[in-house]
mmCIF file of all heavy atoms in Angstrom:
data_model
loop_
_atom_site.group_PDB
_atom_site.id
_atom_site.type_symbol
_atom_site.label_atom_id
_atom_site.label_comp_id
_atom_site.label_asym_id
_atom_site.label_seq_id
_atom_site.Cartn_x
_atom_site.Cartn_y
_atom_site.Cartn_z
ATOM 1 N N ILE A 265 2.979 217.792 40.816
ATOM 2 C CA ILE A 265 2.960 216.580 41.644
ATOM 3 C C ILE A 265 2.937 216.953 43.123
ATOM 4 O O ILE A 265 2.205 216.359 43.912
ATOM 5 C CB ILE A 265 4.151 215.663 41.312
ATOM 6 C CG1 ILE A 265 4.002 215.124 39.876
ATOM 7 C CG2 ILE A 265 4.260 214.519 42.324
ATOM 8 C CD1 ILE A 265 5.174 214.294 39.389
ATOM 9 N N ALA A 266 3.711 217.962 43.498
ATOM 10 C CA ALA A 266 3.737 218.418 44.892
ATOM 11 C C ALA A 266 2.354 218.897 45.334
ATOM 12 O O ALA A 266 1.902 218.577 46.434
ATOM 13 C CB ALA A 266 4.769 219.523 45.073
ATOM 14 N N GLU A 267 1.674 219.628 44.467
ATOM 15 C CA GLU A 267 0.333 220.111 44.811
ATOM 16 C C GLU A 267 -0.637 218.946 45.005
ATOM 17 O O GLU A 267 -1.414 218.930 45.962
ATOM 18 C CB GLU A 267 -0.178 221.060 43.719
ATOM 19 C CG GLU A 267 0.543 222.376 43.703
ATOM 20 C CD GLU A 267 0.200 223.253 42.510
ATOM 21 O OE1 GLU A 267 -0.222 222.737 41.453
ATOM 22 O OE2 GLU A 267 0.377 224.469 42.637
ATOM 23 N N PHE A 268 -0.574 217.989 44.113
ATOM 24 C CA PHE A 268 -1.456 216.823 44.236
ATOM 25 C C PHE A 268 -1.179 216.060 45.530
ATOM 26 O O PHE A 268 -2.096 215.755 46.296
ATOM 27 C CB PHE A 268 -1.293 215.899 43.017
ATOM 28 C CG PHE A 268 -2.026 214.604 43.177
ATOM 29 C CD1 PHE A 268 -3.408 214.547 43.041
ATOM 30 C CD2 PHE A 268 -1.340 213.435 43.494
ATOM 31 C CE1 PHE A 268 -4.085 213.343 43.218
ATOM 32 C CE2 PHE A 268 -2.013 212.231 43.665
ATOM 33 C CZ PHE A 268 -3.391 212.185 43.530
ATOM 34 N N LEU A 269 0.089 215.750 45.771
ATOM 35 C CA LEU A 269 0.441 214.958 46.955
ATOM 36 C C LEU A 269 0.062 215.674 48.246
ATOM 37 O O LEU A 269 -0.455 215.052 49.182
ATOM 38 C CB LEU A 269 1.930 214.634 46.952
ATOM 39 C CG LEU A 269 2.390 213.610 45.925
ATOM 40 C CD1 LEU A 269 3.913 213.534 45.892
ATOM 41 C CD2 LEU A 269 1.784 212.248 46.204
ATOM 42 N N SER A 270 0.333 216.969 48.321
ATOM 43 C CA SER A 270 0.072 217.706 49.567
ATOM 44 C C SER A 270 -1.402 217.667 49.951
ATOM 45 O O SER A 270 -1.733 217.648 51.133
ATOM 46 C CB SER A 270 0.559 219.143 49.467
ATOM 47 O OG SER A 270 -0.252 219.878 48.568
ATOM 48 N N LYS A 271 -2.271 217.638 48.962
ATOM 49 C CA LYS A 271 -3.714 217.589 49.235
ATOM 50 C C LYS A 271 -4.160 216.226 49.747
ATOM 51 O O LYS A 271 -5.222 216.102 50.347
ATOM 52 C CB LYS A 271 -4.495 217.966 47.983
ATOM 53 C CG LYS A 271 -4.345 219.420 47.631
ATOM 54 C CD LYS A 271 -5.029 219.761 46.341
ATOM 55 C CE LYS A 271 -4.768 221.227 46.039
ATOM 56 N NZ LYS A 271 -4.954 221.539 44.654
ATOM 57 N N LYS A 272 -3.368 215.213 49.515
ATOM 58 C CA LYS A 272 -3.709 213.855 49.916
ATOM 59 C C LYS A 272 -3.052 213.441 51.231
ATOM 60 O O LYS A 272 -3.399 212.418 51.805
ATOM 61 C CB LYS A 272 -3.286 212.854 48.828
ATOM 62 C CG LYS A 272 -3.905 213.115 47.480
ATOM 63 C CD LYS A 272 -5.396 212.897 47.526
ATOM 64 C CE LYS A 272 -6.035 213.083 46.165
ATOM 65 N NZ LYS A 272 -7.479 212.904 46.220
ATOM 66 N N MET A 273 -2.103 214.235 51.691
ATOM 67 C CA MET A 273 -1.307 213.838 52.857
ATOM 68 C C MET A 273 -1.980 214.184 54.171
ATOM 69 O O MET A 273 -2.678 215.186 54.281
ATOM 70 C CB MET A 273 0.075 214.500 52.786
ATOM 71 C CG MET A 273 0.885 213.990 51.609
ATOM 72 S SD MET A 273 2.481 214.785 51.437
ATOM 73 C CE MET A 273 3.415 213.886 52.677
ATOM 74 N N SER A 274 -1.732 213.363 55.150
ATOM 75 C CA SER A 274 -2.243 213.598 56.499
ATOM 76 C C SER A 274 -1.306 214.565 57.232
ATOM 77 O O SER A 274 -0.191 214.839 56.784
ATOM 78 C CB SER A 274 -2.297 212.277 57.275
ATOM 79 O OG SER A 274 -0.972 211.820 57.540
ATOM 80 N N TYR A 275 -1.774 215.018 58.366
ATOM 81 C CA TYR A 275 -0.962 215.870 59.236
ATOM 82 C C TYR A 275 0.373 215.192 59.561
ATOM 83 O O TYR A 275 1.431 215.803 59.472
ATOM 84 C CB TYR A 275 -1.758 216.165 60.516
ATOM 85 C CG TYR A 275 -1.003 216.959 61.545
ATOM 86 C CD1 TYR A 275 -0.976 218.351 61.491
ATOM 87 C CD2 TYR A 275 -0.320 216.315 62.579
ATOM 88 C CE1 TYR A 275 -0.271 219.080 62.440
ATOM 89 C CE2 TYR A 275 0.376 217.043 63.533
ATOM 90 C CZ TYR A 275 0.395 218.421 63.451
ATOM 91 O OH TYR A 275 1.092 219.141 64.386
ATOM 92 N N GLN A 276 0.318 213.917 59.907
ATOM 93 C CA GLN A 276 1.532 213.173 60.264
ATOM 94 C C GLN A 276 2.494 213.077 59.079
ATOM 95 O O GLN A 276 3.710 213.204 59.250
ATOM 96 C CB GLN A 276 1.192 211.758 60.760
ATOM 97 C CG GLN A 276 0.500 211.715 62.094
ATOM 98 C CD GLN A 276 -1.007 211.997 61.993
ATOM 99 O OE1 GLN A 276 -1.596 212.079 60.916
ATOM 100 N NE2 GLN A 276 -1.636 212.172 63.139
ATOM 101 N N ASP A 277 1.960 212.838 57.884
ATOM 102 C CA ASP A 277 2.811 212.726 56.696
ATOM 103 C C ASP A 277 3.481 214.051 56.350
ATOM 104 O O ASP A 277 4.637 214.082 55.935
ATOM 105 C CB ASP A 277 2.002 212.238 55.492
ATOM 106 C CG ASP A 277 1.484 210.826 55.647
ATOM 107 O OD1 ASP A 277 2.062 210.058 56.450
ATOM 108 O OD2 ASP A 277 0.493 210.488 54.975
ATOM 109 N N LEU A 278 2.771 215.151 56.516
ATOM 110 C CA LEU A 278 3.352 216.470 56.229
ATOM 111 C C LEU A 278 4.403 216.858 57.264
ATOM 112 O O LEU A 278 5.285 217.650 56.979
ATOM 113 C CB LEU A 278 2.260 217.540 56.168
ATOM 114 C CG LEU A 278 1.387 217.527 54.922
ATOM 115 C CD1 LEU A 278 0.206 218.473 55.095
ATOM 116 C CD2 LEU A 278 2.186 217.882 53.673
ATOM 117 N N ASN A 279 4.303 216.300 58.455
ATOM 118 C CA ASN A 279 5.239 216.634 59.532
ATOM 119 C C ASN A 279 6.544 215.841 59.495
ATOM 120 O O ASN A 279 7.390 216.022 60.356
ATOM 121 C CB ASN A 279 4.563 216.434 60.894
ATOM 122 C CG ASN A 279 3.875 217.683 61.348
ATOM 123 O OD1 ASN A 279 4.530 218.634 61.733
ATOM 124 N ND2 ASN A 279 2.566 217.695 61.271
ATOM 125 N N VAL A 280 6.711 214.992 58.515
ATOM 126 C CA VAL A 280 7.941 214.203 58.412
ATOM 127 C C VAL A 280 9.130 215.129 58.173
ATOM 128 O O VAL A 280 9.062 216.069 57.396
ATOM 129 C CB VAL A 280 7.831 213.166 57.268
ATOM 130 C CG1 VAL A 280 9.170 212.515 56.979
ATOM 131 C CG2 VAL A 280 6.791 212.118 57.612
ATOM 132 N N MET A 281 10.213 214.825 58.876
ATOM 133 C CA MET A 281 11.461 215.559 58.675
ATOM 134 C C MET A 281 12.488 214.599 58.089
ATOM 135 O O MET A 281 12.490 213.418 58.418
ATOM 136 C CB MET A 281 11.935 216.168 59.984
ATOM 137 C CG MET A 281 10.937 217.195 60.515
ATOM 138 S SD MET A 281 11.453 217.980 62.028
ATOM 139 C CE MET A 281 12.501 219.273 61.387
ATOM 140 N N ASP A 282 13.328 215.119 57.199
ATOM 141 C CA ASP A 282 14.319 214.257 56.555
ATOM 142 C C ASP A 282 15.522 214.048 57.469
ATOM 143 O O ASP A 282 15.512 214.457 58.630
ATOM 144 C CB ASP A 282 14.708 214.807 55.177
ATOM 145 C CG ASP A 282 15.520 216.088 55.214
ATOM 146 O OD1 ASP A 282 15.974 216.538 56.303
ATOM 147 O OD2 ASP A 282 15.747 216.662 54.132
ATOM 148 N N ASN A 283 16.557 213.407 56.945
ATOM 149 C CA ASN A 283 17.731 213.078 57.760
ATOM 150 C C ASN A 283 18.483 214.304 58.267
ATOM 151 O O ASN A 283 19.227 214.210 59.227
ATOM 152 C CB ASN A 283 18.677 212.168 56.978
ATOM 153 C CG ASN A 283 18.048 210.839 56.633
ATOM 154 O OD1 ASN A 283 16.971 210.486 57.128
ATOM 155 N ND2 ASN A 283 18.696 210.090 55.769
ATOM 156 N N ALA A 284 18.289 215.448 57.614
ATOM 157 C CA ALA A 284 18.913 216.697 58.056
ATOM 158 C C ALA A 284 17.943 217.516 58.914
ATOM 159 O O ALA A 284 18.175 218.699 59.152
ATOM 160 C CB ALA A 284 19.376 217.511 56.849
ATOM 161 N N GLN A 285 16.859 216.856 59.345
ATOM 162 C CA GLN A 285 15.830 217.493 60.172
ATOM 163 C C GLN A 285 15.150 218.655 59.450
ATOM 164 O O GLN A 285 14.762 219.632 60.074
ATOM 165 C CB GLN A 285 16.392 217.948 61.520
ATOM 166 C CG GLN A 285 16.843 216.815 62.416
ATOM 167 C CD GLN A 285 15.707 215.840 62.697
ATOM 168 O OE1 GLN A 285 15.698 214.735 62.183
ATOM 169 N NE2 GLN A 285 14.748 216.240 63.485
ATOM 170 N N ARG A 286 15.003 218.553 58.125
ATOM 171 C CA ARG A 286 14.290 219.562 57.342
ATOM 172 C C ARG A 286 12.894 219.060 57.026
ATOM 173 O O ARG A 286 12.717 217.889 56.698
ATOM 174 C CB ARG A 286 15.024 219.842 56.023
ATOM 175 C CG ARG A 286 16.348 220.530 56.197
ATOM 176 C CD ARG A 286 17.027 220.667 54.873
ATOM 177 N NE ARG A 286 17.293 219.311 54.366
ATOM 178 C CZ ARG A 286 18.406 218.931 53.789
ATOM 179 N NH1 ARG A 286 19.370 219.776 53.579
ATOM 180 N NH2 ARG A 286 18.555 217.681 53.379
ATOM 181 N N ASN A 287 11.935 219.962 57.097
ATOM 182 C CA ASN A 287 10.592 219.625 56.655
ATOM 183 C C ASN A 287 10.407 220.151 55.228
ATOM 184 O O ASN A 287 11.321 220.746 54.656
ATOM 185 C CB ASN A 287 9.528 220.160 57.635
ATOM 186 C CG ASN A 287 9.494 221.676 57.718
ATOM 187 O OD1 ASN A 287 9.541 222.382 56.716
ATOM 188 N ND2 ASN A 287 9.384 222.193 58.935
ATOM 189 N N VAL A 288 9.238 219.952 54.674
ATOM 190 C CA VAL A 288 9.013 220.334 53.279
ATOM 191 C C VAL A 288 9.137 221.848 53.079
ATOM 192 O O VAL A 288 9.608 222.305 52.027
ATOM 193 C CB VAL A 288 7.658 219.788 52.763
ATOM 194 C CG1 VAL A 288 6.481 220.447 53.457
ATOM 195 C CG2 VAL A 288 7.567 219.891 51.253
ATOM 196 N N LEU A 289 8.769 222.664 54.071
ATOM 197 C CA LEU A 289 8.916 224.119 53.927
ATOM 198 C C LEU A 289 10.387 224.534 53.943
ATOM 199 O O LEU A 289 10.776 225.469 53.242
ATOM 200 C CB LEU A 289 8.127 224.863 55.008
ATOM 201 C CG LEU A 289 6.607 224.705 54.934
ATOM 202 C CD1 LEU A 289 5.943 225.448 56.089
ATOM 203 C CD2 LEU A 289 6.058 225.182 53.595
ATOM 204 N N HIS A 290 11.208 223.851 54.738
ATOM 205 C CA HIS A 290 12.655 224.103 54.697
ATOM 206 C C HIS A 290 13.176 223.869 53.275
ATOM 207 O O HIS A 290 13.953 224.660 52.738
ATOM 208 C CB HIS A 290 13.421 223.147 55.623
ATOM 209 C CG HIS A 290 13.305 223.444 57.072
ATOM 210 N ND1 HIS A 290 12.631 222.615 57.919
ATOM 211 C CD2 HIS A 290 13.795 224.444 57.828
ATOM 212 C CE1 HIS A 290 12.704 223.095 59.157
ATOM 213 N NE2 HIS A 290 13.403 224.206 59.124
ATOM 214 N N MET A 291 12.737 222.755 52.678
ATOM 215 C CA MET A 291 13.204 222.412 51.337
ATOM 216 C C MET A 291 12.758 223.440 50.312
ATOM 217 O O MET A 291 13.526 223.827 49.428
ATOM 218 C CB MET A 291 12.717 221.021 50.943
ATOM 219 C CG MET A 291 13.351 219.914 51.775
ATOM 220 S SD MET A 291 12.846 218.280 51.241
ATOM 221 C CE MET A 291 13.777 218.157 49.715
ATOM 222 N N MET A 292 11.525 223.909 50.436
ATOM 223 C CA MET A 292 11.023 224.901 49.494
ATOM 224 C C MET A 292 11.814 226.198 49.612
ATOM 225 O O MET A 292 12.113 226.841 48.606
ATOM 226 C CB MET A 292 9.527 225.138 49.722
ATOM 227 C CG MET A 292 8.699 223.922 49.357
ATOM 228 S SD MET A 292 6.956 224.117 49.717
ATOM 229 C CE MET A 292 6.441 224.946 48.223
ATOM 230 N N ALA A 293 12.186 226.565 50.827
ATOM 231 C CA ALA A 293 12.989 227.773 51.032
ATOM 232 C C ALA A 293 14.399 227.585 50.477
ATOM 233 O O ALA A 293 14.916 228.449 49.756
ATOM 234 C CB ALA A 293 13.050 228.119 52.520
ATOM 235 N N PHE A 294 15.009 226.473 50.787
ATOM 236 C CA PHE A 294 16.378 226.214 50.359
ATOM 237 C C PHE A 294 16.493 226.126 48.840
ATOM 238 O O PHE A 294 17.456 226.611 48.241
ATOM 239 C CB PHE A 294 16.896 224.917 50.996
ATOM 240 C CG PHE A 294 18.338 224.657 50.716
ATOM 241 C CD1 PHE A 294 19.323 225.304 51.450
ATOM 242 C CD2 PHE A 294 18.724 223.779 49.716
ATOM 243 C CE1 PHE A 294 20.666 225.085 51.182
ATOM 244 C CE2 PHE A 294 20.063 223.549 49.448
ATOM 245 C CZ PHE A 294 21.035 224.200 50.179
ATOM 246 N N LEU A 295 15.499 225.515 48.207
ATOM 247 C CA LEU A 295 15.546 225.290 46.761
ATOM 248 C C LEU A 295 14.845 226.369 45.942
ATOM 249 O O LEU A 295 14.708 226.242 44.736
ATOM 250 C CB LEU A 295 14.942 223.912 46.439
ATOM 251 C CG LEU A 295 15.697 222.739 47.030
ATOM 252 C CD1 LEU A 295 14.884 221.455 46.902
ATOM 253 C CD2 LEU A 295 17.059 222.593 46.361
ATOM 254 N N ASP A 296 14.399 227.442 46.613
ATOM 255 C CA ASP A 296 13.748 228.567 45.947
ATOM 256 C C ASP A 296 12.529 228.122 45.144
ATOM 257 O O ASP A 296 12.466 228.271 43.931
ATOM 258 C CB ASP A 296 14.739 229.319 45.046
ATOM 259 C CG ASP A 296 14.164 230.637 44.507
ATOM 260 O OD1 ASP A 296 13.230 231.178 45.125
ATOM 261 O OD2 ASP A 296 14.649 231.107 43.454
ATOM 262 N N ARG A 297 11.570 227.568 45.871
ATOM 263 C CA ARG A 297 10.309 227.153 45.262
ATOM 264 C C ARG A 297 9.204 228.088 45.760
ATOM 265 O O ARG A 297 8.529 227.803 46.745
ATOM 266 C CB ARG A 297 9.953 225.702 45.611
ATOM 267 C CG ARG A 297 11.018 224.687 45.279
ATOM 268 C CD ARG A 297 11.151 224.465 43.774
ATOM 269 N NE ARG A 297 12.003 223.314 43.507
ATOM 270 C CZ ARG A 297 13.237 223.412 43.004
ATOM 271 N NH1 ARG A 297 13.741 224.591 42.693
ATOM 272 N NH2 ARG A 297 13.952 222.323 42.786
ATOM 273 N N PRO A 298 9.033 229.241 45.108
ATOM 274 C CA PRO A 298 8.017 230.208 45.554
ATOM 275 C C PRO A 298 6.622 229.813 45.074
ATOM 276 O O PRO A 298 6.079 230.378 44.132
ATOM 277 C CB PRO A 298 8.488 231.515 44.907
ATOM 278 C CG PRO A 298 9.149 231.076 43.639
ATOM 279 C CD PRO A 298 9.782 229.741 43.962
ATOM 280 N N TRP A 299 6.056 228.840 45.741
ATOM 281 C CA TRP A 299 4.744 228.309 45.396
ATOM 282 C C TRP A 299 3.769 228.704 46.505
ATOM 283 O O TRP A 299 3.506 227.927 47.427
ATOM 284 C CB TRP A 299 4.811 226.804 45.231
ATOM 285 C CG TRP A 299 5.796 226.319 44.194
ATOM 286 C CD1 TRP A 299 6.293 227.032 43.133
ATOM 287 C CD2 TRP A 299 6.397 225.035 44.106
ATOM 288 N NE1 TRP A 299 7.156 226.254 42.402
ATOM 289 C CE2 TRP A 299 7.241 225.015 42.968
ATOM 290 C CE3 TRP A 299 6.310 223.873 44.869
ATOM 291 C CZ2 TRP A 299 7.972 223.901 42.580
ATOM 292 C CZ3 TRP A 299 7.038 222.761 44.487
ATOM 293 C CH2 TRP A 299 7.855 222.778 43.347
ATOM 294 N N PRO A 300 3.230 229.928 46.433
ATOM 295 C CA PRO A 300 2.446 230.458 47.557
ATOM 296 C C PRO A 300 1.245 229.616 47.971
ATOM 297 O O PRO A 300 1.032 229.411 49.162
ATOM 298 C CB PRO A 300 1.992 231.839 47.078
ATOM 299 C CG PRO A 300 2.420 231.976 45.676
ATOM 300 C CD PRO A 300 3.322 230.859 45.329
ATOM 301 N N GLN A 301 0.466 229.118 47.011
ATOM 302 C CA GLN A 301 -0.719 228.353 47.394
ATOM 303 C C GLN A 301 -0.340 227.057 48.095
ATOM 304 O O GLN A 301 -0.933 226.681 49.106
ATOM 305 C CB GLN A 301 -1.601 228.060 46.171
ATOM 306 C CG GLN A 301 -2.938 227.450 46.544
ATOM 307 C CD GLN A 301 -3.761 228.367 47.437
ATOM 308 O OE1 GLN A 301 -3.997 229.529 47.092
ATOM 309 N NE2 GLN A 301 -4.194 227.869 48.588
ATOM 310 N N LEU A 302 0.672 226.389 47.575
ATOM 311 C CA LEU A 302 1.124 225.148 48.199
ATOM 312 C C LEU A 302 1.663 225.412 49.603
ATOM 313 O O LEU A 302 1.335 224.699 50.554
ATOM 314 C CB LEU A 302 2.188 224.468 47.334
ATOM 315 C CG LEU A 302 2.745 223.150 47.856
ATOM 316 C CD1 LEU A 302 1.647 222.112 48.042
ATOM 317 C CD2 LEU A 302 3.813 222.625 46.914
ATOM 318 N N MET A 303 2.451 226.461 49.754
ATOM 319 C CA MET A 303 2.992 226.801 51.076
ATOM 320 C C MET A 303 1.865 227.148 52.045
ATOM 321 O O MET A 303 1.902 226.750 53.209
ATOM 322 C CB MET A 303 3.971 227.962 50.959
ATOM 323 C CG MET A 303 5.211 227.603 50.191
ATOM 324 S SD MET A 303 6.243 229.042 49.973
ATOM 325 C CE MET A 303 7.760 228.390 50.615
ATOM 326 N N GLN A 304 0.867 227.864 51.557
ATOM 327 C CA GLN A 304 -0.263 228.224 52.413
ATOM 328 C C GLN A 304 -1.051 226.977 52.821
ATOM 329 O O GLN A 304 -1.408 226.825 53.988
ATOM 330 C CB GLN A 304 -1.187 229.208 51.706
ATOM 331 C CG GLN A 304 -2.361 229.634 52.561
ATOM 332 C CD GLN A 304 -3.232 230.658 51.880
ATOM 333 O OE1 GLN A 304 -2.836 231.302 50.916
ATOM 334 N NE2 GLN A 304 -4.435 230.819 52.388
ATOM 335 N N ASP A 305 -1.298 226.094 51.854
ATOM 336 C CA ASP A 305 -2.046 224.873 52.167
ATOM 337 C C ASP A 305 -1.313 224.033 53.220
ATOM 338 O O ASP A 305 -1.918 223.544 54.166
ATOM 339 C CB ASP A 305 -2.268 224.042 50.904
ATOM 340 C CG ASP A 305 -3.217 224.701 49.909
ATOM 341 O OD1 ASP A 305 -3.900 225.674 50.276
ATOM 342 O OD2 ASP A 305 -3.240 224.245 48.748
#
């Protein structure tokens, strides 16, 4: 689902930060999601 959504999202949507000021890459690091292609995209 993450791969599908990321391909559909705009620059502004990907730049959203949550209430703790984390972006999606922060979350992937914190939650140990080693998804190289998604991170690269």
Side-chain angles (χ1 to χ4, degrees):
I265 294 175
E267 289 172 335
F268 172 75
L269 288 172
S270 70
K271 290 176 183 159
K272 302 294 183 181
M273 294 177 80
S274 69
Y275 176 86
Q276 291 81 9
D277 294 338
L278 286 170
N279 270 287
V280 170
M281 297 182 84
D282 70 9
N283 297 349
Q285 294 302 107
R286 292 176 297 222
N287 64 45
V288 67
L289 295 178
H290 286 112
M291 293 183 73
M292 292 176 85
F294 186 80
L295 297 169
D296 189 23
R297 305 288 190 251
W299 302 338
Q301 188 61 54
L302 181 59
M303 294 175 127
Q304 181 177 343
D305 292 347

